[in-house]
Structures are given as structure tokens and as C-alpha cells.
Amino acid sequence: MQPISYLLGAAFLKLRENWLLFFLIYLVAGIWSAFEVFTEPDFNSVTIGTFGWAVYLAALVIATMFGVLMSIALTYAMAGMTTSVKSSYGMALKSFWRYILLGLVSVVLVTLGFLFLIVPGIIVSVWIVFAYFILLLENESIIAALKKSREYVRGHWWGVLIRLAVLSITMAVVVFALQLLISFLLSFLPFLAAQVVYVLVTLVLAGFLTPFSLLYVYQMYLELKSEKETSYQTYQTSNPSV
């Protein structure tokens, strides 16, 4: 597999090439996420009205739906299948329920794995990491996507795990450091102004970090997919009668 430095560099270059489209796709969902944060009631208060709860729950549901659509839309945009925010979300709507169902099946599989101690859960999580790309970009069924993802990972399980772990740790460190810096700078502002600025700055940062993370995993998917296809073609050439 390609080294981690290559994946990071390739993800950055891909992000730089089309950053505006990726950012705008994220922003559509990010705005709803910010609205959900602003409508969140004080859970320690006993005076939260029915209207307040209704607004918050509606914002939560909408933000969650747009979060899923954003992930799908970004995937299509990264693959070059769409060139605008409208077309990206248009395609995402058509795959929404298949994506949701795959997510539910994945959660069940991973949960069952963790029920048999932690290790099986981690193994399953790595096996199915590319299933979403396969479902959307190769138009496979849910079961076929899960099986195909495992085939892509076969022989590279540790490599995929290490690269995913590095991504997770890197993003956690970057986000933590940025949040500390932002919190320090905003400590000089009034509370309400600081809260508004914090949400807006977080929205912008997430607009770049989210597609970057997805692009990183997408590069792994492309590499392992190409390797499996090359291996199959070589096998077919060596065994023409099969």
C-alpha cells in the first residue's frame, strides 16, 4: 500500500483542486448543523417549553439527514461524477435510503463483533470501511458492497487499520489544537459574540477537514480496488479457460 505521507499529500492536492465545490457541499449540511446547535435547549432547565423541544428535535432530524446527504454528495463529487452542489445533492437523494440501510447493517455487524469482545468488532470495522464507496460508485447491492469491501481489504488489513488510526489521531490532534486556540482568542469577546464566532469558525474548519478525511480514505479505496482488478485480470490472462 502507498505510504501514509502519500495518502495525506494526495488528499490535500485533491482538496486543493476542487476545494470550493467540496466546501459548499459541506456548508449546506453545516448550516443545518449550526442551526441545531443554536436551538439546543438547556437540558438542566426545567422550563423548556414544548415549542422549544419541537424546534430542537426538528433541527436535529434535518441536520442528521443533511449530514448523510452531504457524505453521499461529497463521495460523488470526489469521484468526478458531479460538478455542482445541486447535481451532487440530486444524486445523493437517489441513494439516500440505500446508504441509510447500509449504515444500519454496518452498525449491526460491528455491534455483534464488539459483543464477542473488542477485537472482532475492530476486524469487522476495517473489513467494511470501503462498503460505502462500493455501494455508491460501483452501484453494488448492500450485501455485495460489504463482501467486496472485505475482498479489497484482504491481505492489507493491518495496513488499512494503521492508516485509519493515523488519520483519526491526526484529525483529533488538529481539531483539539484548533479548538484550544479558538477558545483562547474568543475569551476576549462577550459570551454571545464568542459563541457565534466559535460556531462560524468551527463550521469553516469542518468544511475543509471533513472532505480531507473522506479523500484520504477514498485514495486507499482507489488503490486497493485497482490492485484487485489487476490481480483478477492477470488471473484471467493466465487461465483463459476459466
Side-chain angles (χ1 to χ4, degrees):
M1 294 185 67
Q2 294 286 0
I4 294 171
S5 58
Y6 171 85
L7 294 175
L8 292 170
F12 177 77
L13 290 175
K14 187 73 173 178
L15 177 62
R16 189 175 66 177
E17 289 175 3
N18 217 358
W19 69 270
L20 183 58
L21 175 59
F22 298 152
F23 178 75
L24 291 177
I25 289 174
Y26 172 83
L27 191 60
V28 172
I31 290 173
W32 282 106
S33 180
F35 180 69
E36 181 261 321
V37 171
F38 281 122
T39 59
E40 182 176 324
D42 181 3
F43 296 108
N44 295 319
S45 174
V46 294
T47 59
I48 303 174
T50 303
F51 179 75
W53 275 110
V55 171
Y56 171 67
L57 291 176
L60 180 61
V61 171
I62 295 173
T64 301
M65 291 177 59
F66 270 97
V68 174
L69 288 171
M70 178 265 295
S71 297
I72 304 172
L74 277 175
T75 300
Y76 284 135
M78 290 173 183
M81 298 173 67
T82 58
T83 56
S84 69
V85 176
K86 182 179 180 180
S87 61
S88 297
Y89 273 94
M91 288 188 67
L93 281 170
K94 297 176 181 179
S95 302
F96 179 80
W97 291 112
R98 294 173 64 230
Y99 192 92
I100 289 291
L101 187 54
L102 174 59
L104 293 175
V105 174
S106 299
V107 168
V108 171
L109 292 175
V110 173
T111 301
L112 289 175
F114 277 110
L115 289 177
F116 293 96
L117 301 178
I118 296 177
V119 174
I122 297 175
I123 292 174
V124 173
S125 298
V126 176
W127 274 348
I128 65 176
V129 69
F130 302 122
Y132 295 98
F133 292 116
I134 296 170
L135 179 82
L136 299 174
L137 305 181
E138 301 181 35
N139 200 30
E140 294 282 5
S141 66
I142 292 171
I143 300 301
L146 292 167
K147 291 181 177 179
K148 213 168 185 179
S149 179
R150 181 182 178 183
E151 286 302 311
Y152 287 177
V153 173
R154 189 185 299 277
H156 299 288
W157 190 88
W158 281 106
V160 174
L161 175 64
I162 291 172
R163 284 158 178 78
L164 291 175
V166 169
L167 174 65
S168 299
I169 294 172
T170 301
M171 288 296 102
V173 171
V174 169
V175 169
F176 180 71
L178 289 174
Q179 286 182 332
L180 282 181
L181 177 61
I182 294 170
S183 297
F184 171 74
L185 295 176
L186 295 182
S187 63
F188 299 100
L189 294 176
F191 176 76
L192 181 59
Q195 188 177 31
V196 172
V197 173
Y198 182 82
V199 171
L200 292 177
V201 173
T202 301
L203 191 65
V204 172
L205 291 175
F208 289 98
L209 294 178
T210 299
F212 176 83
S213 301
L214 194 58
L215 281 166
Y216 177 95
V217 181
Y218 178 65
Q219 298 302 317
M220 281 196 289
Y221 158 74
L222 290 179
E223 179 188 357
L224 296 182
K225 176 178 182 291
S226 176
E227 178 183 301
K228 292 299 179 182
E229 289 176 346
T230 301
S231 298
Y232 179 75
Q233 290 172 0
T234 302
Y235 176 78
Q236 289 288 83
T237 303
S238 303
N239 301 270
S241 60
V242 176

